[in-house]
Amino acid sequence: MALTATLAFAAPSPALASAEPTVPAACTVGGVAIPDGEPVPDDIPTVVSCFDSVEAAEQFIEDGAPGDYQQLHPEGVSARAAAAATVTVGKIWTGTSRSGSVLLHWGSGSGCYGVTFGFPSLGSGWTNNVRSAEGFNNCWSSQYDGTSYTGAVLTCAPYCSSLGALAAKTSSIVYRPVGTFG
């Protein structure tokens, strides 16, 4: 199975550094579709953008993740082609039942149709702070308690209102085609 190497991050608020990490209302992180059986590139950049609202983050992805898409696909793509090629593959929340801050994972293509998207670490503010998750566009998400897809795993098919024993323990995520468990 092939996975992308992408990292999301959000810095904790200095005022709350000793408390639970805080994150913006909504952030996006891009991934690259890797067909099953192909090698994973090791030079995929980390591309994160944060917004004051979920609606603004969703609009950013719908508009083709301007600037971010070009960083993931430096071979050159018009803005029109980028807008047609971006799709949300999943969302994770800091609270149960789709509450709290949200990290939207997006990718190129039409979702998890014969491809996989992997996020080997989640970064500050998101690692060990995920309490609900959902896959979109033919994707199920597998939550791992270790980085680089190690340790205990829970697959959300496609939605988990709570992660049960893995609540606040997710350190990496893989989005796979519907019907595929981690």
Side-chain angles (χ1 to χ4, degrees):
M1 153 189 24
L3 303 173
T4 61
T6 309
L7 172 68
F9 65 94
S13 168
L16 300 173
S18 62
E20 183 176 304
T22 60
V23 293
C27 291
T28 64
V29 61
V32 178
I34 305 297
D36 287 337
E38 289 199 19
V40 178
D42 56 7
D43 59 350
I44 296 173
T46 300
V47 183
V48 177
S49 293
C50 292
F51 303 87
D52 292 332
S53 70
V54 174
E55 295 78 16
E58 289 171 337
Q59 187 64 53
F60 175 75
I61 294 169
E62 186 177 315
D63 290 345
D68 289 7
Y69 185 92
Q70 289 74 11
Q71 290 179 59
L72 286 172
H73 302 280
E75 64 276 358
V77 169
S78 72
R80 175 183 244 166
T86 52
V87 63
T88 300
V89 296
K91 295 179 183 180
I92 57 175
W93 290 268
T94 58
T96 60
S97 301
R98 299 181 183 112
S99 66
S101 296
V102 62
L103 179 62
L104 293 82
H105 292 103
W106 63 269
S108 57
S110 58
C112 294
Y113 293 93
V115 298
T116 299
F117 297 87
F119 298 84
S121 63
L122 303 180
S124 177
W126 297 101
T127 298
N128 297 327
N129 200 16
V130 179
R131 290 172 180 81
S132 57
E134 186 170 12
F136 294 90
N137 293 301
N138 201 55
C139 298
W140 283 0
S141 69
S142 294
Q143 317 293 309
Y144 292 86
D145 73 353
T147 59
S148 299
Y149 328 114
T150 59
V153 62
L154 171 69
T155 298
C156 297
Y159 173 61
C160 291
S161 63
S162 171
L163 300 182
L166 282 183
K169 293 182 180 177
T170 300
S171 295
S172 58
I173 298 173
V174 177
Y175 293 96
R176 295 183 176 92
V178 165
T180 309
F181 289 87

